[in-house]
């Protein structure tokens, strides 16, 4: 048996198979514990040492397959994930299993075929076991994928259709192809054109080697069922190549109706074309066409909807008696979001309304007409011979309630509970409140009992890289967290530093050097906020090592980062009673967070602070008595397509604060905004806002360039903090508006949604200047920083919440800037015209809903343009909606 193990260790699979073949079953089974031990030893090796040991895997795979007596255990061993990349030769494995009875081999074959496709079991192994055992072919995903790959590899120059003819199990495997859940794994093998799978399968049906009716039924059923996102690119061309006759198509009207209603666009378009051909040939009853049309006209694809309306128009022209059945179906398009589609449907109703002798049908169409735009609704009333409806009342503005800040829970009294929260923070980012709560908890528990805190945190610390001495040495940990060239600490890395300091893996000298000097870096726009975060972590880590604090003064009272003045006075009083030393950085951050807007509360707290008899109390009293700092003067500058804000110095922040905090009061220029800095990350925006919770504009002026990257550079996630910006305190000026404007034109939907949330929050709080926001958007679209189609999508999303008046006011001031650029005889570039048409559509919809009146500069010229382009049609719609006389 030692010879077998030596062969396995050497990776000699063939020799292992020969040695084991001569052993009885009992001796083979006795080798299993040693084989399992070898396998575990390889898996447990560090990755850098695993490569050499993995050479034994082929022999280990053969040995395990031969030593396991049960089929399930043997199959599990063979398909193990760790052996996937170094498998034994298939012929060797087949020889190793050849001595078992056919029933056992068939069981192993079925179990291997039942593994997921990702297990990558060799097809030759599964097929060999099936052939040798004589069992029925297992039609599973793994077996079918393996078969497709095997056939697709080609046998020299043999055509694919001949390769398929040579397959003894062709019928069940082709059936399995239609049952396969997702062809994404092998989609590229199917190809296109004469030599593709589709053409080969169609040829086999023509020669009766495959049952044509069964293949057609399976193909249609697969399209009905759906599958992977690209599967229709295989089955739809196959269906086309099968070239169904009119009778075959007629027998499947219900299937075409379902596909036209629910399938992906290419499949729905094919089903629609089949139904259209049947309808125009007189092989489709009016009721069947009406049923199919009701499904298609609810789809969002305008091309499909327009094509269905054209078909209905042709059928109605040839069969006027079908109007009572088809016109109610046409009326389904009255609820389409595109008013051009609504108008097409209304024209059909107007043309054939005189043939509506069914009162029920007329009543249904009249009810559907309520979903039309106001101008079209008036036309529909006249066409149906109904009494003119009263003018609809303007919809009241409905804004979602603004989120209310909440008071976070205090730090946990239990060190174990604190450890659980810190583990969760390290696993996934939490909000500012959870993060500040964890820092305060670390300070409090380190002050009470540092050893108990370390014991509670051990399960968390044991998983961190800096606790693995065989991987990272002490000097490497010191260098990583030290004030070298590794940049400033972000939230996650800063929390790691505090924990490493708690376990005494970073020296006090290194922590103090980082606190006093910080890493070498340039004075970019983002460095100020990042340096404040950096020194907060370093001071807490240094104090935990040398002089623990009883609590953190800067822990916010509210989720926005705001600190109540009475809470800060109470904490200073605790420091006084305990004789603890106040941290300079901690106190500075507390001063920036303390609420000063409520003057009564601030002055009362100032009197209490003066009575503490400590310098920090006097400093706090002076700050609270002085009131909120004035915002610096600002002006606009351009940088490429961007519009940015430059601001002056904030004198209050330049004196009396540590050096890291004084950077926040420096003037801000466009060159600061565009300067690259490697320590930047969008996930830290929320901490910026909590640094200055009552000075939103000072944060927004530095955010504007970064948020603009979501629109100009198509960067993802740059606008994520906009809702928090809207919830913050202080004036919401032009920097805040610019941030929202760039977010509304962001490339990615999640960023646009964040900007819409921010817009609605500002509006609900009465802090949104919609007119100036619209003017800003007009300029940004004109400069190319914001694309009109993206802006239209954001505006439509916001209007859908009920904020019609807000969005109308915004667009009313954006559109004149864009309409003024339209030349009298043309539409400028097609992209701009198309995007402007979408903006006009949203504006018209909002104007109709909120009952807006009055003129928009340059709109009349756009409305007078000839043709039926979206821009011209929507300009006329908006003009009619705003016209007082027409509305009356």
């Amino acid at each position: 048996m030692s010879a077998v193990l030596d062969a396995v260790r050497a990776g000699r699979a063939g020799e292992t198979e020969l040695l084991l073949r001569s052993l009885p079953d009992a001796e083979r089974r006795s080798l299993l514990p040693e084989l399992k031990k070898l396998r575990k030893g390889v898996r447990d090796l560090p990755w850098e040492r695993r490569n050499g040991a993995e050479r034994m895997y082929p022999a280990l795979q053969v040995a395990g397959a031969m030593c396991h007596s049960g089929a399930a255990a043997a199959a599990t061993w063979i398909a193990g994930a760790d052996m996937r990349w170094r498998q034994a030769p298939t012929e060797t494995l087949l020889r190793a299993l050849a001595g078992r009875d056919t029933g056992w081999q068939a069981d192993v074959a079925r179990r291997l075929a039942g593994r997921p496709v990702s297990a990558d079991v060799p097809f030759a192994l599964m097929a060999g076991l099936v052939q040798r055992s004589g069992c029925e072919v297992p039609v599973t995903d793994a077996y079918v994928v393996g078969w497709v790959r095997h056939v697709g590899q080609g046998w020299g120059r043999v055509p694919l259709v001949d390769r398929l003819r040579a397959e003894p199990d062709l019928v069940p495997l082709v059936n399995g192809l239609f049952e396969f859940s997702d062809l994404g794994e092998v989609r590229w093998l199917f190809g296109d054109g004469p030599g593709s799978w589709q053409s080969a399968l169609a040829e086999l049906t023509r020669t009766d080697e495959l049952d044509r009716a069964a293949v057609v039924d399976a193909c249609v059923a697969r399209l009905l069922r759906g599958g992977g996102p690209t599967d229709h690119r295989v089955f739809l061309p196959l269906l086309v190549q099968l070239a169904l006759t009119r009778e075959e198509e007629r027998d499947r009207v219900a299937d075409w109706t379902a596909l036209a209603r629910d399938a992906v666009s290419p499949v729905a378009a094919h089903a629609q074309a089949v139904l259209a051909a049947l309808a125009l040939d007189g092989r489709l009853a009016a009721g069947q066409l009406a049923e199919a049309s009701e499904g298609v006209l609810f789809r969002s694809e305008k091309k499909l909807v327009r094509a269905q309306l054209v078909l209905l128009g042709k059928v109605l022209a040839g069969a006027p008696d079908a109007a009572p059945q088809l016109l109610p179906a046409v009326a389904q398009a009255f609820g389409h979001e595109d008013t051009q589609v609504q108008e097409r449907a209304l024209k059909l109703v107007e043309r054939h309304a005189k043939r509506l002798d069914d009162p029920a049908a007329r009543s249904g169409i009249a009810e559907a007409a309520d979903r039309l735009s106001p101008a079209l609704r008036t036309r529909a009333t006249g066409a149906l011979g109904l009494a003119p409806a009263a003018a609809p009342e303007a919809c009241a503005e409905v804004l979602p309630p603004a989120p209310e800040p909440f008071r976070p829970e205090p730090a946990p009294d239990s060190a174990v509970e604190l450890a659980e929260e810190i583990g969760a923070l390290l696993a996934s980012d939490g909000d500012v409140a959870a993060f500040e709560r964890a820092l305060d908890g670390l300070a409090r528990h380190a002050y009470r009992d540092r050893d108990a805190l370390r014991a509670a945190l051990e399960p968390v610390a044991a998983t961190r890289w800096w606790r693995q001495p065989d991987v990272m040495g002490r000097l490497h940990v010191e260098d990583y967290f030290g004030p070298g060239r590794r940049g400033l600490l972000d939230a996650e890395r800063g929390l790691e530093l505090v924990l490493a300091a708690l376990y005494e893996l970073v020296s006090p000298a290194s922590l103090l050097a980082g606190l006093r000097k910080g890493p070498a870096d340039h004075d970019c726009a983002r460095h100020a906020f990042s340096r404040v975060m950096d020194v907060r972590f370093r001071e807490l880590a240094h104090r935990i090592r040398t002089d623990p604090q009883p609590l953190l003064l800067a822990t916010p009272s509210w989720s926005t980062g705001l600190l109540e003045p009475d809470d800060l006075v109470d904490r200073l009083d605790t420091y006084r009673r305990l004789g603890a030393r106040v941290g300079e950085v901690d106190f500075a951050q507390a001063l920036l967070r303390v609420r000063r807007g409520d003057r009564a509360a601030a002055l009362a707290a100032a009197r209490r602070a003066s009575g503490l008899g400590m310098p920090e109390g006097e400093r706090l009293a002076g700050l609270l008595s002085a009131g909120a700092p004035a915002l610096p003067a600002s002006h606009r500058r351009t940088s490429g397509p961007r519009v940015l804000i430059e601001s002056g110095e904030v004198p209050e922040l330049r004196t009396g604060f540590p050096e890291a905090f004084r950077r926040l009061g420096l003037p801000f220029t466009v060159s600061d905004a565009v300067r690259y800095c490697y320590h930047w990350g969008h996930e830290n925006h929320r901490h910026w806002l909590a640094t200055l919770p009552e000075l939103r504009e000072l944060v927004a002026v530095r955010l504007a360039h970064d948020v603009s990257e979501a629109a100009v550079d198509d960067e993802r996630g740059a606008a994520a903090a906009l809702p928090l910006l809207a919830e913050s305190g202080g004036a919401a000026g032009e920097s805040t508006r610019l941030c929202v404007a760039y977010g509304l034109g962001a490339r990615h939907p999640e960023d646009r949604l964040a900007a819409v949330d921010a817009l609605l929050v500002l509006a609900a709080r009465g802090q949104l200047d919609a007119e100036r926001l619209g003017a800003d958007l007009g300029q940004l679209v004109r400069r190319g920083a914001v694309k009109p189609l993206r802006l239209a999508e954001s505006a439509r999303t916001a209007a859908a919440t009920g904020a019609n008046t807000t969005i109308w006011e915004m667009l009313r001031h954006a559109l004149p800037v864009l309409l003024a650029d339209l030349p009298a005889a043309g539409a400028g570039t097609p992209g701009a015209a198309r995007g402007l048409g979408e903006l006009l559509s949203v504006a018209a919809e909002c104007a109709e809903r909120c009952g807006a009146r009055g003129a928009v500069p340059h709109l009349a010229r756009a409305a007078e343009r000839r043709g039926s382009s979206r821009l011209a049609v929507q300009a006329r719609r908006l003009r009619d909606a705003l016209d007082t006389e027409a509305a009356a």
Side-chain angles (χ1 to χ4, degrees):
M1 288 194 294
S2 61
V4 174
L5 295 176
D6 289 342
V8 170
R9 292 189 183 95
R12 297 190 291 269
E15 181 182 342
T16 301
E17 183 263 326
L18 288 173
L19 290 171
L20 284 171
R21 192 188 304 171
S22 63
L23 295 179
D25 289 345
E27 291 190 28
R28 290 186 192 178
R29 287 194 297 271
S30 67
L31 282 170
L32 280 174
E34 288 297 326
L35 294 175
K36 291 178 181 178
K37 185 177 179 181
L38 278 176
R39 183 180 181 184
K40 184 178 184 301
V42 177
R43 284 200 304 252
D44 290 346
L45 284 173
W47 63 270
E48 66 271 11
R49 294 175 52 195
R50 195 176 294 171
N51 188 43
E54 284 179 347
R55 70 180 185 277
M56 72 174 69
Y57 269 137
L60 195 59
Q61 189 179 34
V62 170
M66 297 183 71
C67 292
H68 279 97
S69 57
T76 301
W77 183 279
I78 292 170
D82 52 339
M83 300 185 187
R84 190 172 303 161
W85 306 111
R86 297 288 296 270
Q87 300 194 32
T90 299
E91 287 302 319
T92 303
L93 273 174
L94 287 173
R95 285 198 309 270
L97 302 176
R100 305 298 182 95
D101 63 76
T102 56
W104 190 92
Q105 292 187 53
D107 195 5
V108 172
R110 285 190 292 269
R111 292 178 183 277
L112 289 176
R115 307 287 292 187
V117 176
S118 59
D120 202 19
V121 178
F123 173 74
L125 176 62
M126 294 185 288
L129 289 171
V130 168
Q131 182 181 4
R132 295 184 182 200
S133 65
C135 68
E136 184 178 346
V137 61
V139 186
T140 63
D141 284 1
Y143 199 91
V144 172
V145 166
W147 175 66
V148 171
R149 288 173 176 164
H150 172 70
V151 174
Q153 288 171 355
W155 307 333
R157 296 185 179 180
V158 179
L160 176 62
V161 66
D162 292 332
R163 282 177 258 156
L164 291 174
R165 283 192 177 109
E167 173 58 57
D169 298 307
L170 178 64
V171 173
L173 287 172
V174 169
N175 291 337
L177 195 62
F178 291 109
E179 296 295 328
F180 187 42
S181 57
D182 185 356
L183 290 180
E185 290 278 346
V186 289
R187 159 73 184 87
W188 62 277
L189 287 172
F190 285 85
D192 299 296
S196 66
W197 274 76
Q198 295 90 328
S199 62
L201 292 175
E203 174 64 23
L204 292 173
T205 62
R206 283 190 287 272
T207 57
D208 293 331
E209 291 165 273
L210 289 174
D211 183 79
R212 175 180 171 82
V215 173
V216 171
D217 287 340
C219 192
V220 173
R222 177 52 190 266
L223 291 173
L224 283 167
R225 188 174 70 251
T230 61
D231 286 6
H232 65 276
R233 298 180 185 175
V234 173
F235 297 109
L236 181 57
L238 172 58
L239 186 63
V240 172
Q241 296 233 14
L242 289 171
L244 272 63
T245 65
R246 277 286 180 260
E247 288 303 320
E248 287 176 319
E249 291 174 342
R250 178 68 183 84
D251 292 339
R252 294 175 172 81
V253 168
D255 295 332
W256 308 129
T257 300
L259 289 172
R261 181 181 63 239
D262 297 323
V264 294
S265 290
V267 178
H270 176 77
Q272 184 186 47
V274 172
L275 290 171
L278 290 172
L280 296 176
D281 285 351
R283 296 169 179 258
L284 195 65
Q288 292 174 315
L289 178 58
E291 181 184 357
S293 299
E294 288 178 356
V296 175
L297 294 177
F298 268 115
R299 294 186 68 108
S300 60
E301 299 96 327
K302 298 174 188 176
K303 184 177 180 180
L304 292 178
V305 175
R306 287 194 294 264
Q308 194 68 20
L309 291 174
V310 170
L311 171 63
L312 288 167
K314 291 179 179 179
V315 173
L316 284 167
D321 294 341
Q325 289 179 284
L326 296 183
L327 288 184
V330 171
Q332 298 297 323
F334 289 175
H336 199 278
E337 65 177 12
D338 187 352
T339 55
Q340 288 178 280
V341 170
Q342 294 180 15
E343 188 169 10
R344 282 173 181 262
L346 179 57
K347 285 180 179 179
L348 275 179
V349 172
E350 289 174 330
R351 192 176 305 142
H352 300 281
K354 59 185 177 183
R355 298 188 179 94
L356 273 176
D357 52 5
D358 183 355
R362 186 177 290 271
S363 174
I365 296 174
E367 183 178 346
D370 290 338
R371 300 195 296 269
L372 291 167
S373 65
L376 296 179
R377 194 180 309 134
T378 302
R379 282 173 52 184
T381 300
L384 295 171
L386 303 175
E393 294 184 4
C395 297
E397 176 86 336
V398 178
L399 294 170
E404 294 291 336
F406 62 89
R407 277 189 173 268
E409 294 291 326
D413 286 332
S414 165
V416 173
E417 184 180 347
L418 174 65
E420 292 175 352
E421 293 189 4
I422 290 175
L425 276 177
L426 291 173
S428 60
D429 286 341
D431 56 23
V432 172
F435 194 80
E436 295 286 348
R437 165 187 164 99
L439 293 182
D440 187 43
L442 285 169
R444 290 173 182 268
H445 284 280
Y447 181 81
R448 296 176 193 170
D449 191 336
R450 202 158 32 188
D451 293 336
L453 177 59
R454 278 195 289 260
L457 283 167
E458 186 59 36
V460 176
T463 65
R464 314 315 296 176
W465 63 267
W466 38 265
R467 285 298 302 281
Q468 314 301 322
D470 57 331
V471 178
M472 298 292 184
R474 170 67 178 267
L475 291 178
H476 185 87
V477 176
E478 193 84 51
D479 176 61
Y480 182 81
F481 288 119
R485 300 180 58 83
R486 293 185 176 271
L488 299 171
L489 299 171
D490 59 11
E492 181 180 355
R493 189 162 162 242
L495 187 55
E496 295 263 18
L497 166 65
V498 176
L499 295 178
L502 178 66
Y503 283 89
E504 301 182 355
L505 296 176
V506 185
S507 68
S510 176
L511 293 170
L512 185 60
L515 178 62
R516 290 178 174 174
K517 182 179 179 182
D521 208 336
H522 48 65
D523 293 335
C524 67
R526 310 165 187 96
H527 187 76
F529 286 101
S530 298
R531 179 60 175 146
V532 167
M533 286 184 64
D534 182 86
V535 295
R536 287 192 65 207
F537 291 126
R538 295 187 187 278
E539 181 184 76
L540 176 58
H542 183 258
R543 291 292 297 269
I544 283 178
R545 286 285 330 251
T546 60
D547 181 20
Q549 301 159 269
L551 52 84
L552 291 185
L553 297 172
T555 303
S557 305
W558 297 96
S559 56
T560 58
L562 204 59
L563 174 59
E564 290 293 340
D566 281 334
D567 290 345
L568 181 53
V569 174
D570 291 340
R571 293 169 190 174
L572 284 173
D573 190 39
T574 300
Y575 269 76
R576 180 189 60 78
R577 288 187 291 101
L578 295 175
R581 180 171 60 88
V582 172
E584 182 186 25
V585 171
D586 183 32
F587 182 58
Q589 177 62 89
L591 292 179
L592 295 183
R593 284 179 172 168
V594 69
R595 183 198 294 271
R596 298 155 69 180
D598 185 344
R599 297 308 302 147
L603 293 175
R607 290 190 291 271
R608 289 184 57 208
S610 296
L612 292 176
M614 53 192 306
E616 292 81 8
E618 293 298 331
R619 174 73 193 284
L620 174 60
L623 189 78
L624 293 174
S625 301
L631 291 175
S634 62
H635 59 275
R636 296 191 168 212
R637 287 283 301 276
T638 58
S639 175
R642 293 172 169 88
V643 175
L644 299 173
I645 306 296
E646 293 188 333
S647 64
E649 184 179 70
V650 185
E652 180 181 309
L653 298 180
R654 299 288 294 147
T655 58
F657 283 95
E659 182 273 336
F661 288 80
R662 291 199 292 271
R663 295 170 181 260
L664 297 173
L666 288 172
F668 179 80
T669 65
V670 168
S671 61
D672 294 326
V674 301
R675 192 178 302 170
Y676 170 78
C677 87
Y678 64 86
H679 59 261
W680 163 240
H682 296 142
E683 65 277 3
N684 289 326
H685 277 161
R686 59 184 185 272
H687 296 283
W688 289 20
L689 290 161
T691 301
L692 295 172
E694 277 196 322
L695 293 172
R696 170 170 36 200
E697 277 294 284
L698 287 186
V699 181
V701 73
R702 290 164 170 82
L703 277 179
H705 178 272
D706 299 303
V707 179
S708 73
E709 292 176 344
V712 179
D713 302 322
D714 295 349
E715 187 169 337
R716 187 186 297 272
L722 289 183
L724 298 179
L725 178 67
E727 295 171 26
S728 191
E734 55 184 347
S735 296
T736 301
R737 288 198 306 275
L738 272 179
C739 288
V740 174
Y742 284 121
L744 293 174
R747 162 68 177 82
H748 298 284
E750 59 269 31
D751 285 317
R752 292 200 298 271
L753 189 58
V756 169
D757 286 344
L759 182 148
L760 295 175
V761 169
L762 289 170
R765 297 178 68 181
Q767 298 173 336
L768 179 69
D769 190 333
E771 296 182 7
R772 292 188 178 182
L773 175 60
D776 290 342
L777 283 167
Q779 292 297 329
L780 292 177
V781 172
R782 190 183 207 178
R783 296 180 62 85
V786 169
K787 292 181 172 57
L789 282 175
R790 297 176 185 174
L791 174 58
E793 180 72 22
S794 297
R796 181 173 283 111
T797 301
T801 68
N804 295 289
T805 302
T806 297
I807 300 305
W808 163 244
E809 287 298 318
M810 179 183 80
L811 294 179
R812 183 169 69 90
H813 291 82
L815 288 172
V817 181
L818 308 178
L819 294 171
D821 291 339
L822 285 176
T829 63
R834 181 165 57 94
L836 185 51
E838 292 296 329
L839 276 177
L840 286 166
S841 174
V842 180
E845 186 173 345
C846 291
E848 290 168 351
R849 290 180 178 176
C850 67
R853 299 290 180 267
V856 172
H858 311 294
L859 176 62
R861 189 178 64 177
E864 291 167 359
R865 299 165 72 87
R866 296 180 179 179
S868 59
S869 68
R870 186 160 184 79
L871 189 152
V873 169
Q874 296 303 324
R876 289 192 285 270
R877 177 189 173 192
L878 178 57
R879 179 199 61 190
D880 294 342
L882 296 176
D883 186 64
T884 306
E885 294 181 3

